[in-house]
Amino acid sequence: MPEILEAIHRLRAGSGSRSLFGMLRDAFGDSADYRTEAVGASGSEPVYICFLASLCSTQKLDLLLGSTGIGELSAKLSRYNGTSIGEADQPACEKAICNGSAVICTSLSENGLLVDLSETQQRGIGSPITESVLQGPMYAFNENLDANTALIRQQIRSPKLKMWETKVGELSQTRIAVFYCQGAADPDLLASLKERIGNIQADGIQDSGQLLRLLVSRKKLGLFPLAMSSERPDRSTADLLRGKMVIMVNGSPFALTVPAVYTDFWHSPEDNYVNPYVAYFLLSLRFLAMFMNLFLPALYIALTSVNVDVNRLEISLAASASREGVPYPVFVETFLMLLIIDFITEAGIRLPKTISSTVTMVGGVVLGQAIIQANIVSNLLVIIVAATAITNFIVIDYQMGLVQRILKYFIAIGATVAGLLGIMFCFACLVFYLSCLESFGAPYLTSLRRKGAIQP
Amino acid sequence: MKKNPPSLTGYDMFSIQVLFFGASAGFIYPSLIVRSTTGAYWVPLVVWAAVALLSCLLYSKLLGRLQEGKLIDRLCQSAGIPAALIICLPQLIFIFGALVVMLRAYSELITMTMLPTTPITFLNGMLLAPGALALAGMMPIARAARVLYLISTLLSVCLMLIGFSDVKWTLGGPWLFTNGDFLMIRNFYSGSFIWMGFVFTALIGSYNPRISGRYRKSYIYALLLSFPMIAGFIYLPVMTFGRELTRHLTLPYISKMDSVYHYWVVFENLTALFVSVTMLYVLLVMALKLHALGESVKSLFPRANPIWIYGIVVLLVYASASALPSWRAVEGTIFYTLGLRLYALFGFPLLGLALLSVRERKRKVAS
C-alpha cells in the first residue's frame, strides 16, 4: 500500500525535545494493556504501532503483527487497503487510542497515523426485560448506540428520520444521539435540547437516567419522571412518529423519550397491537390499579380510625374484630406493613432470580401468617397490603412505579391526620403538583388521547 | 417578537365554571333558596341565571375590547393606576370576601359533619394548597381544573343519582306556581354568589374578541349543564323531607345525603363522601379566586413581589376566616356583601366599558 507507506515516510521528526512515541509512552505508561510493537522501518527509524490491547480487534492487529521482517512493512500495510488512515497530533492520537485506534509512528516523529482497529464489546440483541409484552416485537435495545440506531432505522426507513450526535463527559466522551422526525418534531424543543445537552458539565455519563438528571435543572427536579425511559425500539419509533424526540446514550440500553406526559407512563406498547376495546379496558384497569395502590392503605387508616361511621356497620365490626389484640394504632400497623412489603419487593428485585422467589415466598406467606398470629397486624391489613403490592406491579413504567410506592405513604399520612378529607386533600395536592409540572416545555397533565402518527 | 400572555381555552373555562357551581351550590345555597319562596324553587334559580347571563354578556363585551391583554392591565393603562385602583377596589374586596366565606363555610361544614373536634384554625390551613397553586399561575389552575372536573363531577352526579332513589316527587310541588315573594326576601339576594364564576375568570388570562366569545359560550354551556345539578341540590332534600322540614335545616343537601341508605351502597355515610368530593371543588375554586385577586393586585402594584402578594393575601384570608365567630356570622357576611356582588356583576363591567369607550374616543379625536 504505497500511500500509507508514503505517509509514514512523510512523518516529520519532532522539532521539540519529545517525540510522539515518547509522549504516548508517558501518557499510557502505567496502563498494563498499552502496547507498542515495532512493525517495520522508515529509513533508519523503526516504525512502531501503539495501541490499547483491550480495545483493539485482535483479528485486525494480527495483520500488522506476527511477522518478523522489517522489510515486510509494505506488504503488511497493503492489508489495510480502503481503511481511512489519517495523520494526527499528540492529543488526537491519545484520544484515538482511547477509542480503540492504533497509532503508527516512528521513534522521532511528532505526528502519527491513526488506524481504526477498534472492536466494541457488546451483548447481542435480546428480549426486553422491563417492558415485556405478549404481543408485539420481542427485541430490545442493547448498550451499543450504533446497534440501537440500526434498530430504529429499521423501523423508520425514511430520510425524515434525523439523528444529531454529540459527545458528553470530560473523561468518558460518551456519545449521545438525539433522534427526531423532521416535520413532526418541534424545532424549538430540538434547539433547546441541543443547548441543554451542550451545556452539560460532567466527567462521565453511564446511563440515560443519569443524562436525564443532568438535563433537568436542579430546581425543576421533582418526584415524577420527566422523560419516558424505554428499552423497546417499537415504542421509541412510535413516539418518534408522534413528533417526540428520542435520546440515546452509548452504553445504555434505555432510550429517553421527550417530552413525556403523565398519561404516557400508563400506556403499554402492547396497546397498539391489541383490539382497541381491549386496550381501553386494560388502560382503565391500570388507572384503577393506580388509584387502589395510592388510596387503599390510606382508606384502611381513614375508615378504621378516623371515619369509622362511613363504612357499613358490618364491615366496621369485621375490621374491629380483626384488629382485636393488635396493640398499635391503625396507622402504626399500616406503616409497618407497608414498609415490610417494600422491603420484600426491594429484596426480590436485587437478589438473583433463584433466591428472590424464596424470599418472596418467605416474606409473603410465612411472614404474613406469622405476623397475624403474633397479633402485630390485622388480617384485613394483610389483604390490603397484598392488594396494594399487586397493584403496584401493574404500573407500566418502572420509574413511575417507584413514585407510586412513595406516594402511598404521603396519602396515608393525610388519612392519619384527617381521614377521608386528608386523603382528598393529598389527592388535590398531587393534582396541583402535577399540573405545575412541565416535561421539556409540554405540560405534564395533558389529555388521555394520544396524538395521531405522521406518515414518514 | 413579544409573546402574548396565555389565555384559557373554552374547555378550561367550562371546567372552571362547572367546578365553581359545584363548590358554591352544595351547602349554604339550598337553605337560602328554600327559605326564600313558597312557590316553585326553580323560578329564583332562573331569575338569577338570567341576571348572571346578562352580566356575563357585559363582561364579554368588555373583554372583547381588549387586544391580547389582561383586563386590569388595560384599565390601568387607560385610566392610570389611581383611577383603576378606585374602580377595582370594590371588586378586590368582593373577591377577598368570597374567599373568606368559602374557606370558613367549608371548614364549618367539615366541623359539623366529619371532624367535630378538629379546630377550625387547623382546617383553615387547607388554604395553603390553593395558595401554592394560585402562585404557580393560570395554566396550572386550568390543567388541575380539567382533571378535577372529570373526577369530582362524576362522583357528584353519582351521589345525586343515588339520592334520587328515595324521593317523593309530590313533595317538590308546587312546580309551576310563583308569586314573586322571593324578591322581597333577603335570602334570595344572598344566593347570588353561586352565579359569579365568570367574574373571576374575566380577571385572569389574556383576552381578545375571539376569546371573549369563547368566554361567553363556555359560561352558557356550564350554566346549562350545571343547572340540573343546582336544582338537584335544592329539590332532593325537599322531595325527601318536605318543604316545611327542609326550611328548618341548616344544610339541607347534607341532611339528604345522610338519609340515603341502600344495602348495595358500600358506604353508609354518603355525607362524608359528598363533603370529601366537595373539597376538590372548593380547593380549586379558592385557587382561582386567589389567583384572580393576586393578579389584580399585581397589575395595580407592578413593582410588588408576587410571592409577597400571594403570601399576604393567603395570610389575610386565613386570619379573617379564622376570626369569624360562627356559622351565623358566615351567613351574615354573605348577605352584607351583596352590594359588592352587585357591583362586581354590573358596576365593574359598566365602568370598565365606559372607561375604555372614553379612551377610544379620545384616541380617535387625537388621531
Short mmCIF file of all heavy atoms in Angstrom, two decimals, chain A residues 291 303 306-307 309-315 417-418 420-421 424-425 427-429 431-432 435-438 443 445-446, chain B residues 106 110 114-115 122 126 129 133 136 140 143-144 146-148 151 261-263 265-269 272 276 279-280 283:
data_model
loop_
_atom_site.label_atom_id
_atom_site.label_comp_id
_atom_site.label_asym_id
_atom_site.label_seq_id
_atom_site.Cartn_x
_atom_site.Cartn_y
_atom_site.Cartn_z
N PHE A 291 -55.19 4.01 41.34
CA PHE A 291 -55.98 4.57 42.44
C PHE A 291 -55.97 3.64 43.65
O PHE A 291 -55.87 4.09 44.79
CB PHE A 291 -57.42 4.85 41.98
CG PHE A 291 -57.54 6.12 41.20
CD1 PHE A 291 -57.80 6.11 39.84
CD2 PHE A 291 -57.37 7.35 41.82
CE1 PHE A 291 -57.89 7.30 39.12
CE2 PHE A 291 -57.46 8.54 41.11
CZ PHE A 291 -57.72 8.51 39.76
N LEU A 303 -60.88 4.70 57.35
CA LEU A 303 -62.16 4.07 57.68
C LEU A 303 -62.12 3.26 58.97
O LEU A 303 -63.17 2.92 59.52
CB LEU A 303 -62.62 3.17 56.52
CG LEU A 303 -62.90 3.91 55.20
CD1 LEU A 303 -63.32 2.93 54.11
CD2 LEU A 303 -63.96 4.97 55.38
N VAL A 306 -60.44 7.06 61.70
CA VAL A 306 -60.96 8.43 61.75
C VAL A 306 -62.45 8.48 61.40
O VAL A 306 -63.26 8.98 62.16
CB VAL A 306 -60.15 9.37 60.81
CG1 VAL A 306 -60.63 10.80 60.93
CG2 VAL A 306 -58.66 9.28 61.11
N ASN A 307 -62.79 7.93 60.25
CA ASN A 307 -64.19 7.98 59.80
C ASN A 307 -64.84 6.60 59.90
O ASN A 307 -65.26 6.03 58.90
CB ASN A 307 -64.24 8.48 58.35
CG ASN A 307 -63.56 9.80 58.16
OD1 ASN A 307 -62.47 9.87 57.60
ND2 ASN A 307 -64.17 10.86 58.64
N ASP A 309 -67.64 5.77 60.93
CA ASP A 309 -69.07 5.75 60.63
C ASP A 309 -69.37 5.73 59.13
O ASP A 309 -70.49 5.52 58.72
CB ASP A 309 -69.75 6.99 61.24
CG ASP A 309 -69.11 8.28 60.76
OD1 ASP A 309 -67.90 8.25 60.48
OD2 ASP A 309 -69.82 9.29 60.65
N VAL A 310 -68.35 5.94 58.32
CA VAL A 310 -68.58 5.99 56.87
C VAL A 310 -68.85 4.60 56.31
O VAL A 310 -69.70 4.40 55.45
CB VAL A 310 -67.37 6.64 56.15
CG1 VAL A 310 -67.50 6.53 54.64
CG2 VAL A 310 -67.26 8.10 56.56
N ASN A 311 -68.14 3.64 56.84
CA ASN A 311 -68.29 2.27 56.35
C ASN A 311 -69.59 1.65 56.80
O ASN A 311 -70.20 2.11 57.77
CB ASN A 311 -67.15 1.43 56.89
CG ASN A 311 -66.36 0.80 55.80
OD1 ASN A 311 -66.90 0.53 54.73
ND2 ASN A 311 -65.10 0.57 56.05
N ARG A 312 -70.00 0.59 56.16
CA ARG A 312 -71.17 -0.14 56.64
C ARG A 312 -70.81 -0.78 57.98
O ARG A 312 -69.67 -1.15 58.22
CB ARG A 312 -71.56 -1.23 55.63
CG ARG A 312 -72.03 -0.66 54.30
CD ARG A 312 -72.56 -1.77 53.43
NE ARG A 312 -73.78 -2.29 54.00
CZ ARG A 312 -74.99 -1.77 53.80
NH1 ARG A 312 -75.11 -0.70 53.00
NH2 ARG A 312 -76.07 -2.28 54.33
N LEU A 313 -71.82 -0.88 58.80
CA LEU A 313 -71.60 -1.35 60.17
C LEU A 313 -70.93 -2.73 60.18
O LEU A 313 -70.01 -2.99 60.97
CB LEU A 313 -72.95 -1.39 60.90
CG LEU A 313 -72.87 -1.76 62.37
CD1 LEU A 313 -72.10 -0.71 63.15
CD2 LEU A 313 -74.27 -1.92 62.96
N GLU A 314 -71.40 -3.60 59.27
CA GLU A 314 -70.87 -4.96 59.24
C GLU A 314 -69.35 -4.95 58.97
O GLU A 314 -68.59 -5.67 59.61
CB GLU A 314 -71.55 -5.79 58.15
CG GLU A 314 -73.03 -6.01 58.35
CD GLU A 314 -73.90 -4.89 57.74
OE1 GLU A 314 -73.39 -3.74 57.62
OE2 GLU A 314 -75.06 -5.14 57.42
N ILE A 315 -68.96 -4.10 58.02
CA ILE A 315 -67.53 -4.05 57.67
C ILE A 315 -66.73 -3.44 58.82
O ILE A 315 -65.65 -3.92 59.16
CB ILE A 315 -67.32 -3.23 56.37
CG1 ILE A 315 -68.10 -3.86 55.23
CG2 ILE A 315 -65.84 -3.17 56.01
CD1 ILE A 315 -68.11 -3.06 53.96
N VAL A 417 -54.03 12.00 59.50
CA VAL A 417 -54.31 13.31 60.10
C VAL A 417 -55.80 13.66 60.03
O VAL A 417 -56.40 14.09 61.02
CB VAL A 417 -53.47 14.41 59.38
CG1 VAL A 417 -53.84 15.79 59.89
CG2 VAL A 417 -52.00 14.15 59.58
N ALA A 418 -56.41 13.46 58.86
CA ALA A 418 -57.79 13.95 58.71
C ALA A 418 -58.73 12.96 58.03
O ALA A 418 -59.76 13.36 57.48
CB ALA A 418 -57.78 15.27 57.95
N LEU A 420 -60.81 10.71 55.59
CA LEU A 420 -61.18 10.83 54.17
C LEU A 420 -60.81 12.20 53.61
O LEU A 420 -60.37 12.32 52.46
CB LEU A 420 -62.68 10.62 54.00
CG LEU A 420 -63.20 9.19 54.00
CD1 LEU A 420 -64.71 9.18 53.86
CD2 LEU A 420 -62.58 8.37 52.88
N LEU A 421 -61.02 13.21 54.41
CA LEU A 421 -60.70 14.57 53.95
C LEU A 421 -59.21 14.74 53.72
O LEU A 421 -58.79 15.40 52.78
CB LEU A 421 -61.18 15.61 54.98
CG LEU A 421 -62.68 15.85 54.96
CD1 LEU A 421 -63.09 16.63 56.18
CD2 LEU A 421 -63.09 16.58 53.70
N MET A 424 -58.46 13.21 50.41
CA MET A 424 -58.85 14.11 49.33
C MET A 424 -57.91 15.30 49.21
O MET A 424 -57.57 15.72 48.11
CB MET A 424 -60.28 14.63 49.57
CG MET A 424 -61.34 13.67 49.12
SD MET A 424 -61.27 13.41 47.34
CE MET A 424 -62.46 12.13 47.15
N PHE A 425 -57.50 15.79 50.35
CA PHE A 425 -56.59 16.94 50.34
C PHE A 425 -55.25 16.56 49.68
O PHE A 425 -54.74 17.28 48.84
CB PHE A 425 -56.37 17.45 51.77
CG PHE A 425 -55.48 18.66 51.84
CD1 PHE A 425 -55.96 19.91 51.47
CD2 PHE A 425 -54.17 18.56 52.26
CE1 PHE A 425 -55.14 21.03 51.51
CE2 PHE A 425 -53.34 19.67 52.31
CZ PHE A 425 -53.84 20.91 51.93
N PHE A 427 -54.79 14.13 47.63
CA PHE A 427 -55.04 13.89 46.20
C PHE A 427 -55.06 15.21 45.44
O PHE A 427 -54.46 15.33 44.36
CB PHE A 427 -56.36 13.13 46.03
CG PHE A 427 -56.77 12.97 44.60
CD1 PHE A 427 -56.02 12.20 43.73
CD2 PHE A 427 -57.91 13.59 44.10
CE1 PHE A 427 -56.39 12.07 42.39
CE2 PHE A 427 -58.28 13.45 42.78
CZ PHE A 427 -57.52 12.70 41.92
N ALA A 428 -55.76 16.19 46.02
CA ALA A 428 -55.83 17.51 45.37
C ALA A 428 -54.42 18.11 45.25
O ALA A 428 -54.05 18.66 44.21
CB ALA A 428 -56.74 18.44 46.15
N CYS A 429 -53.63 17.96 46.33
CA CYS A 429 -52.25 18.49 46.29
C CYS A 429 -51.46 17.82 45.18
O CYS A 429 -50.68 18.46 44.47
CB CYS A 429 -51.55 18.24 47.63
SG CYS A 429 -52.16 19.30 48.93
N VAL A 431 -52.66 16.50 42.40
CA VAL A 431 -53.13 17.03 41.11
C VAL A 431 -52.54 18.42 40.88
O VAL A 431 -52.09 18.75 39.78
CB VAL A 431 -54.68 17.06 41.05
CG1 VAL A 431 -55.15 17.76 39.78
CG2 VAL A 431 -55.24 15.66 41.12
N PHE A 432 -52.53 19.23 41.94
CA PHE A 432 -51.98 20.59 41.81
C PHE A 432 -50.50 20.51 41.42
O PHE A 432 -50.02 21.26 40.57
CB PHE A 432 -52.13 21.36 43.12
CG PHE A 432 -53.55 21.71 43.48
CD1 PHE A 432 -53.86 22.30 44.69
CD2 PHE A 432 -54.58 21.47 42.59
CE1 PHE A 432 -55.17 22.63 45.02
CE2 PHE A 432 -55.90 21.79 42.91
CZ PHE A 432 -56.19 22.36 44.13
N SER A 435 -50.09 19.44 37.90
CA SER A 435 -50.49 20.48 36.95
C SER A 435 -49.42 21.57 36.81
O SER A 435 -49.42 22.31 35.84
CB SER A 435 -51.83 21.09 37.36
OG SER A 435 -51.69 21.78 38.56
N CYS A 436 -48.54 21.65 37.79
CA CYS A 436 -47.45 22.65 37.71
C CYS A 436 -46.24 22.12 36.95
O CYS A 436 -45.37 22.88 36.56
CB CYS A 436 -47.00 23.05 39.11
SG CYS A 436 -48.26 23.89 40.06
N LEU A 437 -46.20 20.80 36.75
CA LEU A 437 -45.00 20.21 36.11
C LEU A 437 -45.02 20.37 34.60
O LEU A 437 -46.09 20.35 33.99
CB LEU A 437 -44.91 18.72 36.44
CG LEU A 437 -44.53 18.31 37.84
CD1 LEU A 437 -44.45 16.79 37.92
CD2 LEU A 437 -43.19 18.90 38.22
N GLU A 438 -43.85 20.50 34.04
CA GLU A 438 -43.72 20.52 32.58
C GLU A 438 -42.55 19.62 32.20
O GLU A 438 -41.52 19.61 32.87
CB GLU A 438 -43.46 21.94 32.08
CG GLU A 438 -44.70 22.79 32.10
CD GLU A 438 -44.52 24.11 31.38
OE1 GLU A 438 -43.40 24.40 30.96
OE2 GLU A 438 -45.51 24.84 31.26
N PRO A 443 -46.87 20.53 29.07
CA PRO A 443 -47.50 20.34 30.38
C PRO A 443 -47.65 18.84 30.70
O PRO A 443 -48.01 18.07 29.82
CB PRO A 443 -48.88 20.97 30.20
CG PRO A 443 -48.80 21.79 28.98
CD PRO A 443 -47.73 21.23 28.12
N LEU A 445 -49.71 17.37 32.67
CA LEU A 445 -51.10 16.91 32.67
C LEU A 445 -51.76 17.32 31.37
O LEU A 445 -52.23 18.43 31.22
CB LEU A 445 -51.88 17.53 33.83
CG LEU A 445 -51.76 16.89 35.20
CD1 LEU A 445 -52.74 17.52 36.16
CD2 LEU A 445 -51.99 15.39 35.16
N THR A 446 -51.77 16.43 30.41
CA THR A 446 -52.50 16.70 29.17
C THR A 446 -53.50 15.59 28.98
O THR A 446 -53.61 14.69 29.80
CB THR A 446 -51.56 16.79 27.96
OG1 THR A 446 -50.67 15.71 28.03
CG2 THR A 446 -50.80 18.08 27.93
N TYR B 106 -66.71 26.18 54.36
CA TYR B 106 -66.34 24.78 54.15
C TYR B 106 -65.75 24.17 55.42
O TYR B 106 -66.03 23.02 55.77
CB TYR B 106 -65.37 24.66 52.97
CG TYR B 106 -65.11 23.22 52.63
CD1 TYR B 106 -66.14 22.41 52.15
CD2 TYR B 106 -63.87 22.64 52.84
CE1 TYR B 106 -65.93 21.08 51.88
CE2 TYR B 106 -63.65 21.31 52.58
CZ TYR B 106 -64.68 20.53 52.09
OH TYR B 106 -64.48 19.20 51.84
N ILE B 110 -67.16 20.94 57.51
CA ILE B 110 -66.37 19.78 57.94
C ILE B 110 -66.58 19.55 59.43
O ILE B 110 -66.78 18.42 59.89
CB ILE B 110 -64.87 20.00 57.64
CG1 ILE B 110 -64.64 20.04 56.13
CG2 ILE B 110 -64.03 18.91 58.26
CD1 ILE B 110 -63.23 20.46 55.74
N MET B 114 -67.97 15.95 59.79
CA MET B 114 -66.98 14.87 59.81
C MET B 114 -65.96 14.94 60.93
O MET B 114 -65.60 13.92 61.52
CB MET B 114 -66.22 14.85 58.47
CG MET B 114 -67.10 14.36 57.34
SD MET B 114 -66.23 14.39 55.77
CE MET B 114 -65.15 12.99 55.93
N LEU B 115 -65.43 16.12 61.18
CA LEU B 115 -64.37 16.22 62.18
C LEU B 115 -64.77 17.23 63.26
O LEU B 115 -64.27 18.35 63.29
CB LEU B 115 -63.05 16.66 61.51
CG LEU B 115 -62.51 15.78 60.38
CD1 LEU B 115 -61.34 16.45 59.68
CD2 LEU B 115 -62.07 14.42 60.90
N PHE B 122 -57.10 24.91 62.33
CA PHE B 122 -56.33 23.87 61.64
C PHE B 122 -56.93 23.59 60.26
O PHE B 122 -56.21 23.50 59.26
CB PHE B 122 -56.31 22.58 62.48
CG PHE B 122 -55.62 21.44 61.80
CD1 PHE B 122 -54.24 21.39 61.74
CD2 PHE B 122 -56.35 20.42 61.21
CE1 PHE B 122 -53.59 20.33 61.10
CE2 PHE B 122 -55.72 19.37 60.57
CZ PHE B 122 -54.34 19.32 60.52
N MET B 126 -56.01 24.49 55.12
CA MET B 126 -56.10 23.89 53.78
C MET B 126 -55.86 24.95 52.69
O MET B 126 -55.62 24.61 51.54
CB MET B 126 -57.45 23.21 53.57
CG MET B 126 -58.60 24.15 53.32
SD MET B 126 -60.13 23.32 52.95
CE MET B 126 -60.94 23.35 54.53
N ALA B 129 -52.66 24.91 50.10
CA ALA B 129 -52.58 24.22 48.79
C ALA B 129 -53.10 25.11 47.66
O ALA B 129 -52.40 25.29 46.66
CB ALA B 129 -53.32 22.89 48.85
N LEU B 133 -51.00 26.76 44.42
CA LEU B 133 -51.45 26.61 43.02
C LEU B 133 -51.68 27.98 42.38
O LEU B 133 -51.33 28.19 41.22
CB LEU B 133 -52.73 25.78 42.97
CG LEU B 133 -53.27 25.49 41.57
CD1 LEU B 133 -52.31 24.64 40.76
CD2 LEU B 133 -54.62 24.78 41.62
N ALA B 136 -48.54 29.41 41.31
CA ALA B 136 -47.94 28.73 40.15
C ALA B 136 -48.44 29.31 38.83
O ALA B 136 -47.77 29.17 37.82
CB ALA B 136 -48.23 27.24 40.22
N PRO B 140 -51.49 26.16 35.30
CA PRO B 140 -51.64 25.03 36.24
C PRO B 140 -53.06 24.93 36.82
O PRO B 140 -53.57 23.83 37.00
CB PRO B 140 -50.62 25.36 37.34
CG PRO B 140 -49.57 26.12 36.63
CD PRO B 140 -50.28 26.94 35.61
N ARG B 143 -55.19 23.35 34.14
CA ARG B 143 -54.92 21.92 34.00
C ARG B 143 -55.52 21.13 35.15
O ARG B 143 -56.13 20.07 34.95
CB ARG B 143 -53.40 21.68 33.96
CG ARG B 143 -52.79 22.05 32.65
CD ARG B 143 -51.29 21.84 32.71
NE ARG B 143 -50.63 22.91 31.98
CZ ARG B 143 -49.55 23.55 32.38
NH1 ARG B 143 -48.97 23.24 33.52
NH2 ARG B 143 -49.01 24.50 31.65
N ALA B 144 -55.35 21.66 36.35
CA ALA B 144 -55.92 20.98 37.52
C ALA B 144 -57.44 20.96 37.41
O ALA B 144 -58.08 19.95 37.76
CB ALA B 144 -55.49 21.70 38.80
N ARG B 146 -59.24 20.78 34.73
CA ARG B 146 -59.67 19.76 33.77
C ARG B 146 -59.72 18.38 34.43
O ARG B 146 -60.63 17.59 34.19
CB ARG B 146 -58.70 19.73 32.59
CG ARG B 146 -58.87 20.90 31.64
CD ARG B 146 -58.24 20.57 30.31
NE ARG B 146 -56.78 20.48 30.42
CZ ARG B 146 -55.92 21.36 29.92
NH1 ARG B 146 -56.38 22.38 29.24
NH2 ARG B 146 -54.63 21.21 30.04
N VAL B 147 -58.73 18.10 35.24
CA VAL B 147 -58.67 16.78 35.90
C VAL B 147 -59.76 16.69 36.97
O VAL B 147 -60.52 15.71 37.02
CB VAL B 147 -57.28 16.55 36.53
CG1 VAL B 147 -57.25 15.25 37.31
CG2 VAL B 147 -56.22 16.54 35.46
N LEU B 148 -59.83 17.71 37.81
CA LEU B 148 -60.79 17.65 38.93
C LEU B 148 -62.22 17.69 38.43
O LEU B 148 -63.11 17.10 39.05
CB LEU B 148 -60.53 18.80 39.91
CG LEU B 148 -59.17 18.75 40.62
CD1 LEU B 148 -59.06 19.87 41.63
CD2 LEU B 148 -58.95 17.42 41.31
N ILE B 151 -63.20 14.12 37.61
CA ILE B 151 -63.34 13.24 38.78
C ILE B 151 -64.52 13.68 39.65
O ILE B 151 -65.40 12.89 39.97
CB ILE B 151 -62.03 13.21 39.59
CG1 ILE B 151 -60.94 12.57 38.75
CG2 ILE B 151 -62.21 12.45 40.89
CD1 ILE B 151 -59.56 12.72 39.30
N TYR B 261 -79.93 5.40 52.32
CA TYR B 261 -79.45 4.11 52.78
C TYR B 261 -79.88 3.04 51.79
O TYR B 261 -81.06 2.91 51.46
CB TYR B 261 -80.00 3.76 54.16
CG TYR B 261 -79.54 2.39 54.61
CD1 TYR B 261 -78.30 2.22 55.20
CD2 TYR B 261 -80.33 1.27 54.39
CE1 TYR B 261 -77.85 0.96 55.58
CE2 TYR B 261 -79.89 0.00 54.76
CZ TYR B 261 -78.65 -0.15 55.35
OH TYR B 261 -78.20 -1.40 55.70
N HIS B 262 -78.94 2.33 51.26
CA HIS B 262 -79.22 1.19 50.39
C HIS B 262 -78.24 0.09 50.76
O HIS B 262 -77.07 0.37 50.99
CB HIS B 262 -79.04 1.55 48.92
CG HIS B 262 -80.05 2.54 48.44
ND1 HIS B 262 -81.38 2.24 48.31
CD2 HIS B 262 -79.93 3.82 48.05
CE1 HIS B 262 -82.03 3.30 47.87
NE2 HIS B 262 -81.18 4.28 47.72
N TYR B 263 -78.73 -1.11 50.75
CA TYR B 263 -77.86 -2.21 51.19
C TYR B 263 -76.72 -2.43 50.19
O TYR B 263 -75.66 -2.93 50.52
CB TYR B 263 -78.67 -3.50 51.39
CG TYR B 263 -79.07 -4.17 50.11
CD1 TYR B 263 -78.31 -5.20 49.58
CD2 TYR B 263 -80.23 -3.79 49.42
CE1 TYR B 263 -78.67 -5.83 48.40
CE2 TYR B 263 -80.59 -4.40 48.26
CZ TYR B 263 -79.80 -5.40 47.74
OH TYR B 263 -80.16 -6.02 46.58
N VAL B 265 -75.11 -0.05 48.55
CA VAL B 265 -74.08 1.00 48.59
C VAL B 265 -73.04 0.61 49.63
O VAL B 265 -73.38 0.34 50.78
CB VAL B 265 -74.70 2.37 48.94
CG1 VAL B 265 -73.61 3.45 49.01
CG2 VAL B 265 -75.73 2.76 47.91
N VAL B 266 -71.78 0.56 49.19
CA VAL B 266 -70.72 0.08 50.09
C VAL B 266 -70.60 0.98 51.32
O VAL B 266 -70.41 0.51 52.44
CB VAL B 266 -69.37 0.01 49.34
CG1 VAL B 266 -68.27 -0.52 50.24
CG2 VAL B 266 -69.50 -0.85 48.10
N PHE B 267 -70.73 2.28 51.09
CA PHE B 267 -70.56 3.23 52.20
C PHE B 267 -71.91 3.59 52.82
O PHE B 267 -72.91 3.73 52.11
CB PHE B 267 -69.87 4.50 51.70
CG PHE B 267 -68.49 4.25 51.19
CD1 PHE B 267 -68.24 4.25 49.82
CD2 PHE B 267 -67.46 3.98 52.05
CE1 PHE B 267 -66.97 4.01 49.34
CE2 PHE B 267 -66.18 3.74 51.58
CZ PHE B 267 -65.94 3.75 50.22
N GLU B 268 -71.89 3.72 54.13
CA GLU B 268 -73.14 4.00 54.82
C GLU B 268 -73.36 5.51 54.93
O GLU B 268 -74.49 5.99 54.89
CB GLU B 268 -73.08 3.39 56.22
CG GLU B 268 -74.46 3.16 56.81
CD GLU B 268 -74.38 2.17 57.95
OE1 GLU B 268 -74.07 2.61 59.08
OE2 GLU B 268 -74.62 0.99 57.71
N ASN B 269 -72.29 6.24 55.07
CA ASN B 269 -72.39 7.68 55.30
C ASN B 269 -72.00 8.43 54.02
O ASN B 269 -70.83 8.73 53.78
CB ASN B 269 -71.44 8.04 56.46
CG ASN B 269 -71.53 9.49 56.84
OD1 ASN B 269 -72.20 10.28 56.18
ND2 ASN B 269 -70.85 9.85 57.91
N ALA B 272 -70.19 12.02 54.19
CA ALA B 272 -68.73 12.12 54.24
C ALA B 272 -68.15 12.12 52.82
O ALA B 272 -67.22 12.87 52.52
CB ALA B 272 -68.15 10.96 55.04
N SER B 276 -66.23 15.19 51.10
CA SER B 276 -64.86 14.96 50.59
C SER B 276 -64.75 15.37 49.14
O SER B 276 -63.76 15.99 48.74
CB SER B 276 -64.50 13.48 50.73
OG SER B 276 -64.63 13.08 52.06
N MET B 279 -64.54 18.99 48.60
CA MET B 279 -63.23 19.57 48.87
C MET B 279 -62.45 19.82 47.58
O MET B 279 -61.76 20.84 47.44
CB MET B 279 -62.42 18.65 49.79
CG MET B 279 -61.03 19.18 50.06
SD MET B 279 -60.12 18.15 51.15
CE MET B 279 -60.10 19.14 52.61
N LEU B 280 -62.58 18.91 46.62
CA LEU B 280 -61.87 19.09 45.35
C LEU B 280 -62.33 20.37 44.66
O LEU B 280 -61.54 21.15 44.14
CB LEU B 280 -62.09 17.88 44.43
CG LEU B 280 -61.59 16.53 44.95
CD1 LEU B 280 -61.89 15.44 43.95
CD2 LEU B 280 -60.09 16.58 45.21
N LEU B 283 -61.14 23.56 46.83
CA LEU B 283 -59.71 23.89 46.74
C LEU B 283 -59.38 24.54 45.40
O LEU B 283 -58.64 25.53 45.35
CB LEU B 283 -58.86 22.63 46.94
CG LEU B 283 -58.87 22.02 48.34
CD1 LEU B 283 -58.00 20.77 48.37
CD2 LEU B 283 -58.37 23.01 49.39
#
